[in-house]
Amino acid sequence: MMNPVIGLDISKGQSEGQAFLNKGQPYGKSFSFLHTQEGLEELFNMVKTLQTNTGVSPAVILESTGHYHEAVIQFLKEQEIQFIVVNPLISHQAKKSSLRKVKTDAVDAYYLCELYYKEAFEVHKQRDIQLLDLRHLTRQFESITDMYVQAKLQFQAVLDQVFPEYRGIFGDLYSRISLLLLKEFPTSEIIIKSGEAKLSDRIACLCPSRSDRWAEDKAMLIMAAAISNPFQKITYQSHLISLNLYVDLLLQYQVHLAYLEEQIDALATQVEEYSIVQSIPGIGNKIAATVLSEIGEIHRFNHPKKLVAFAGIDPSVYSSGKFTATTNRITKRGSKRLRHTLYLAVLCGIRRSGSKKLRAFYDKKRSEGKPYRVTIVACMNKLLHWISAVLTRKEPFLDIV
């Protein structure tokens, strides 16, 4: 029986393909198509041609390429064509088996077809749209948070050259009232010229929920900071321009992050497993949403060890001849977002107010002489097994020692 396949090497905006009728039987030369409706129709015509020649509907095999392959995958789903998405690590190792050093898109597509006949791949399964939406939002939240942190650091560098004494006046330097007040009164010269009364009135206006006495106290602190500020006169106007820009940027990031957090919470509450995962002490709203979105459907992992490998916290193994390594690091081959989130969950869980079972496990490993980092990774492994159990059984976690 014929077993046709089409290998696709995906790149930005276009793909290179190679068709095989059966193992060792390439069909014609490689072909290329654009990621447009007309180009995708060319791919569909190739699928139909292979089906006509072999009497079997061909599978399509391609590498995971970030977001570049999304247009092709959506088209394949709409046309109900079976496809396989391969981890690039696997396909890269397969290409290294050849002694010839050749790297072209056509050759890569050819190697993917050969890999299809060597390995037993599972056909790509349809993912839950809600979980994929949740994953996109949590990743966007993480990305904007990273940019927000960078903006904070750059803002601090400018503030140190304009008004370093401003730090410590408000409990949160990045609160809305702190940033807005700094934008309006950025220098010692402006503050001293405005006077304490005007400062107090402006603070009371920006924060009406606080008392007048609180506003007066803050105005007094700002005035004292302005007097002791080493930069009484600003030499570089560019610093003021930068300070104003970073204040606006920080306020915008705060608005975007608050909106994303609201959308994540709204979407996560529609997922049944959201409340189940939160039954484990140490896992709150954000961590639960990220864990669920990165794991996806739990039935994709028929054993907890596969989930551990997906998170990249399984130990690497090295053995050659009579030598067997005794110090093995974790592989870090899986989802780094899931791995980082599990790390945060463990830190929360081993606190006194966290999980009793996790804390007992942590203390046991430490008493055995395990180093801190080794113990933390062991706790991450244990926590992931618990997550797998509660998601599979759909029962809340019981924190009983």
Side-chain angles (χ1 to χ4, degrees):
M1 183 179 176
M2 303 294 275
N3 186 15
V5 67
I6 297 175
L8 297 180
D9 184 71
I10 308 288
S11 56
K12 185 177 181 180
Q14 65 178 23
S15 295
E16 192 78 20
Q18 174 66 55
F20 269 56
L21 296 173
N22 209 350
K23 184 177 181 179
Q25 298 180 25
Y27 178 77
K29 296 182 178 180
S30 63
F31 62 95
S32 60
F33 60 92
L34 298 175
H35 294 175
T36 62
Q37 199 60 42
E38 294 79 10
L40 293 170
E41 286 295 335
E42 293 177 22
L43 172 62
F44 183 71
N45 291 336
M46 177 57 73
V47 171
K48 288 299 180 184
T49 302
L50 281 184
Q51 189 172 1
T52 302
N53 290 340
T54 62
V56 181
S57 180
V60 176
I61 184 170
L62 62 147
E63 284 181 343
S64 177
T65 55
H67 62 277
Y68 292 151
H69 64 271
E70 290 296 334
V72 177
I73 283 182
Q74 183 171 324
F75 179 78
L76 294 174
K77 286 179 180 177
E78 291 171 355
Q79 301 301 325
E80 297 182 350
I81 299 171
Q82 289 188 341
F83 63 93
I84 298 162
V85 180
V86 181
N87 190 313
L89 285 170
I90 297 174
S91 57
H92 180 66
Q93 290 297 326
K95 293 170 193 172
K96 287 169 66 176
S97 61
S98 173
L99 292 177
R100 294 189 64 193
K101 193 172 183 180
V102 181
K103 170 66 180 79
T104 65
D105 291 346
V107 169
D108 288 347
Y110 191 97
Y111 278 139
L112 281 171
C113 290
E114 289 191 330
L115 182 64
Y116 171 78
Y117 294 112
K118 292 178 182 177
E119 303 285 344
F121 292 110
E122 290 185 5
V123 175
H124 185 82
K125 296 176 182 177
Q126 182 69 28
R127 299 288 304 276
D128 187 281
I129 299 298
Q130 274 189 331
L131 291 175
L132 289 176
D133 276 339
L134 191 60
R135 188 180 70 179
H136 293 152
L137 288 179
T138 52
R139 289 183 177 183
Q140 187 68 22
F141 185 88
E142 181 186 347
S143 176
I144 294 180
T145 300
D146 290 340
M147 291 188 285
Y148 180 50
V149 170
Q150 287 301 316
K152 279 183 174 181
L153 296 175
Q154 292 163 348
F155 165 77
Q156 289 177 18
V158 176
L159 185 63
D160 287 342
Q161 302 171 70
V162 176
F163 195 177
E165 299 298 316
Y166 190 76
R167 293 168 181 267
I169 291 174
F170 291 93
D172 182 8
L173 177 62
Y174 305 101
S175 64
R176 187 173 178 275
I177 180 174
S178 173
L179 294 175
L180 289 175
L181 200 64
L182 185 61
K183 183 179 180 181
E184 196 169 337
F185 304 96
T187 65
S188 294
E189 192 176 359
I190 294 173
I191 291 171
I192 293 171
K193 186 178 179 181
S194 300
E196 200 171 303
K198 185 176 180 180
L199 272 174
S200 178
D201 291 341
R202 189 59 185 144
I203 293 171
C205 182
L206 289 172
C207 194
S209 61
R210 305 302 291 262
S211 65
D212 292 340
R213 179 62 184 272
W214 181 84
E216 291 169 2
D217 290 344
K218 291 298 179 185
M220 192 188 312
L221 289 173
I222 293 172
M223 186 60 69
I227 293 170
S228 62
N229 183 21
F231 300 100
Q232 290 295 315
K233 289 187 178 181
I234 303 301
T235 306
Y236 304 103
Q237 289 300 312
S238 58
H239 289 337
L240 292 179
I241 294 171
S242 297
L243 187 69
N244 188 62
L245 184 147
Y246 284 126
V247 167
D248 288 338
L249 198 59
L250 289 170
L251 290 170
Q252 283 297 315
Y253 278 142
Q254 288 174 6
V255 171
H256 294 324
L257 288 171
Y259 174 73
L260 272 176
E261 195 168 356
E262 181 184 331
Q263 294 300 314
I264 289 170
D265 287 341
L267 187 59
T269 50
Q270 299 175 20
V271 180
E272 180 187 355
E273 294 83 0
Y274 183 56
S275 58
I276 296 175
V277 172
Q278 288 187 75
S279 65
I280 302 175
I283 297 182
N285 295 350
K286 290 181 184 177
I287 291 178
T290 305
V291 166
L292 280 177
S293 63
E294 291 299 326
I295 291 176
E297 298 80 3
I298 193 62
H299 60 74
R300 296 193 301 148
F301 309 96
N302 55 21
H303 196 280
K305 287 186 177 179
K306 290 188 176 181
L307 185 56
V308 169
F310 177 74
I313 55 176
D314 54 323
S316 57
V317 178
Y318 186 83
S319 178
S320 179
K322 295 182 179 180
F323 173 77
T324 300
T326 55
T327 303
N328 297 315
R329 299 179 182 274
I330 58 174
T331 60
K332 293 189 178 181
R333 283 287 178 90
S335 169
K336 65 177 182 180
R337 290 182 177 86
L338 178 58
R339 192 162 56 249
H340 177 66
T341 305
L342 288 170
Y343 172 74
L344 295 178
V346 166
L347 292 184
C348 295
I350 61 177
R351 293 175 181 170
R352 293 187 182 276
S353 58
S355 171
K356 296 176 184 176
K357 288 181 74 173
L358 192 62
R359 181 69 201 192
F361 181 77
Y362 172 84
D363 291 337
K364 176 175 175 288
K365 290 296 177 183
R366 291 293 280 166
S367 65
E368 292 172 359
K370 300 292 185 184
Y372 173 76
R373 291 186 179 180
V374 173
T375 304
I376 290 295
V377 171
C379 289
M380 290 165 63
N381 195 315
K382 177 66 72 174
L383 181 61
L384 202 52
H385 275 74
W386 292 344
I387 291 171
S388 174
V390 297
L391 289 178
T392 303
R393 299 171 187 170
K394 294 189 176 182
E395 295 177 356
F397 180 77
L398 297 177
D399 191 28
I400 303 173
V401 180

